Amino acid sequence: MSEGGPVSADEDADDDAEDDSDDEDEDDTEGEDDDSDEEKPAGPVARERSSSSAEDSLIEEADAAADYLEELLDIADLDGDIDTYSEGDRAHVSVVTDSEVLVGRDGEVLEALQELSRLAVLTTTGHRSRLMLDVAGHREKRRKELQLLAQDAINDVNETGEPVRLAPMNPFERKIVHDAVKAAGLFSESEGEEPRRRVIVQPAK
C-alpha cells in the first residue's frame, strides 16, 4: 500500500476491508486420509469441487452475518427483513427496511455495521470476510449516483483532454468510479489519505 500516492484501480479496490488472500481457509484437508492411494481429482472435476467449496464458504459467511444482524435488529427494536446472496467472490447481505437509522450520515453507520458484521463472520468461521452489507438500498442508490458522476467526468475528460479530480470517496465508492472509467477506456488513479482519498480521471494512456 502506498503512503498517499496514486495507486491503480485494482489496488484501490483492495483497500476495502484489506482485501488480500489471507481470508482464504487454508485448512482444507479435513476428511483426507494420508495413507490413501486414491488419486486426487484434477482438471474440471477439481475446479468444480473448488468452486462448490468457495460457494459454500460464501453462504456460511452470509448466514453468520445474517444471524448477527437479526439479533442486532431485535435488540434495537428495528423492523427489517434480511436477504443474503453471493456475487463474484463476495457474500452479500441486505437489510430491507424503510428506516435509514442503520445507514447514518453519508453511510457512516452502515460502514461501521459492515465492519461489525465482518467481525461476527470472523468469530463464527475463523477467517476474514469481504462481505458487503447494504441497508435500505443505500449502496444501490449510491452506485447509480456514482455511475452518473463518473460518466460526467468521463465526458469532461474526453472533451477537454484534462484530468478531472472528484470529491473524496470511500473505497466502495471509488471502486465504482474506477470500474466505470475503465469500461470507458480511460485511466483512473487515487490520491490522498483516508478519509480524503479521491479519484482522478485521466485521458487514456
Side-chain angles (χ1 to χ4, degrees), residues 122-181:
L122 174 61
T123 300
T124 301
T125 67
H127 61 80
R128 288 186 295 167
S129 170
R130 299 173 64 239
L131 176 138
M132 184 66 70
L133 174 66
D134 196 6
V135 176
H138 174 80
R139 288 198 191 279
E140 188 57 33
K141 288 183 287 187
R142 184 60 175 151
R143 181 187 299 275
K144 293 177 180 178
E145 294 171 355
L146 289 165
Q147 288 172 338
L148 292 174
L149 177 66
Q151 188 58 55
D152 287 342
I154 290 167
N155 293 340
D156 287 345
V157 171
N158 283 332
E159 290 176 5
T160 67
E162 297 295 327
V164 173
R165 283 176 168 78
L166 301 179
M169 301 176 186
N170 63 39
F172 165 78
E173 295 170 333
R174 295 196 303 269
K175 176 64 164 61
I176 294 172
V177 174
H178 284 310
D179 288 347
V181 172

Side-chain angles (χ1 to χ4, degrees), residues 49-139:
R49 291 186 180 181
S50 177
S51 175
S52 176
S53 176
E55 182 67 21
D56 290 344
S57 178
L58 294 179
I59 292 174
E60 182 183 16
E61 290 182 19
D63 288 344
D67 290 342
Y68 167 77
L69 291 166
E70 284 178 354
E71 185 175 351
L72 184 146
L73 290 174
D74 287 341
I75 293 173
D77 194 24
L78 296 173
D79 293 328
D81 296 323
I82 298 178
D83 290 337
T84 64
Y85 64 97
S86 62
E87 183 176 81
D89 60 351
R90 286 182 190 251
H92 289 251
V93 178
S94 178
V95 179
V96 183
T97 177
D98 293 329
S99 173
E100 295 197 355
V101 171
L102 297 180
V103 175
R105 180 182 177 185
D106 297 327
E108 290 178 348
V109 176
L110 171 57
E111 291 295 333
L113 188 57
Q114 177 173 272
E115 292 308 309
L116 290 174
S117 297
R118 289 174 172 177
L119 286 174
V121 172
L122 174 61
T123 300
T124 301
T125 67
H127 61 80
R128 288 186 295 167
S129 170
R130 299 173 64 239
L131 176 138
M132 184 66 70
L133 174 66
D134 196 6
V135 176
H138 174 80
R139 288 198 191 279

